[in-house]
Amino acid sequence: EFFQTASNGMVVDTRMELGYGAAHVPGSLSMWLEGLPSFAGWFLSYDTPLFLVNETEDPMSAVLYLSRIGYDDIRGYLAGGMLSWHMKGYESEGTPMVTVQDLCKKIDSEKNLWILDVRSREEAEKSGEIHGAHQIHVTQIPHHLIDIPQNQTVYVFCGSGLRSMLAASYLQREGWKKVVVVLGGLSGWNSTSCPLE
């Protein structure tokens, strides 16, 4: 039974950010399928059994990605996906999401929003930096937890929402209760009080 055995390991949800944000297994880590080769090594332990939640019924693409970088202890996957999880009556969690336009409106109407930009420094310099945002690359989040507040809402931003959801899922797993993922990149940025730098 997935529910009983997964409690002894790490659940890795390889679905896209919108599906994960809507509903996921509590305590799971969001790492979209194509992101596994780049980000698994930063967040997953080789000593912890892995359990997969997939977009499709076939987990082999995820298994191949993970096994190629040394993750061989993959114990199973959630047959039937989140639909079967809910049909069994298990609880799920969600991750709040806002569009970049919604974030701009919040910035213009509220003060002291805490924005976590998880893009690389090079990417931020090339595409534009959000004035006042706290820049911590997604791979460095585990080493900078002390720098991220737990007593206020943290808006997590990247270029699309994929890395943001990865960072947010990690923070939620570590006990953060108020994390919001910003969907979309800077193309929709139109804040008047927080122009791009």
Side-chain angles (χ1 to χ4, degrees):
E1 175 82 25
F2 184 90
F3 180 76
Q4 295 168 334
T5 56
S7 62
N8 299 319
M10 169 72 85
V11 177
V12 181
D13 192 320
T14 66
R15 295 175 298 149
M16 297 299 281
E17 79 284 6
L18 291 176
Y20 181 89
H24 55 263
V25 174
S28 61
L29 189 69
S30 173
M31 196 173 299
W32 74 105
L33 183 63
E34 288 77 17
L36 289 174
S38 299
F39 297 106
W42 295 98
F43 292 92
L44 304 179
S45 168
Y46 287 100
D47 302 325
T48 303
L50 301 179
F51 299 84
L52 303 174
V53 176
N54 306 296
E55 197 83 57
T56 65
E57 189 64 28
D58 182 8
M60 286 313 298
S61 294
V63 170
L64 285 172
Y65 278 141
L66 289 167
S67 63
R68 285 175 182 159
I69 53 177
Y71 292 97
D72 298 320
D73 194 1
I74 302 169
R75 301 278 177 95
Y77 71 100
L78 181 58
M82 288 304 295
L83 176 62
S84 69
W85 181 266
H86 288 132
M87 289 181 69
K88 288 186 180 284
Y90 296 139
E91 288 187 25
S92 62
E93 293 179 342
T95 301
M97 297 172 278
V98 297
T99 64
V100 69
Q101 292 88 350
D102 290 334
L103 178 63
C104 288
K105 290 175 188 172
K106 281 189 165 296
I107 290 172
D108 291 340
S109 64
E110 301 176 27
K111 290 186 177 179
N112 302 321
L113 291 187
W114 212 94
I115 301 171
L116 174 60
D117 186 345
V118 299
R119 298 175 299 161
S120 68
R121 170 62 49 203
E122 295 76 20
E123 185 181 355
E125 289 174 354
K126 180 179 178 183
S127 302
E129 298 183 57
I130 302 169
H131 179 73
H134 304 267
Q135 207 277 326
I136 304 173
H137 190 266
V138 64
T139 62
Q140 298 305 304
I141 297 293
H143 307 294
H144 289 275
L145 294 177
I146 196 170
D147 300 321
I148 304 169
Q150 293 195 48
N151 59 349
Q152 67 184 108
T153 302
V154 175
Y155 292 89
V156 191
F157 180 88
C158 70
S160 63
L162 291 167
R163 289 169 291 169
S164 297
M165 193 61 79
L166 168 55
S169 69
Y170 184 82
L171 291 173
Q172 285 179 310
R173 183 175 166 79
E174 293 297 314
W176 268 251
K177 304 291 184 198
K178 298 187 273 189
V179 182
V180 177
V181 167
V182 182
L183 300 172
L186 290 174
S187 60
W189 193 267
N190 61 5
S191 169
T192 55
S193 60
C194 183
L196 294 175
E197 297 178 341

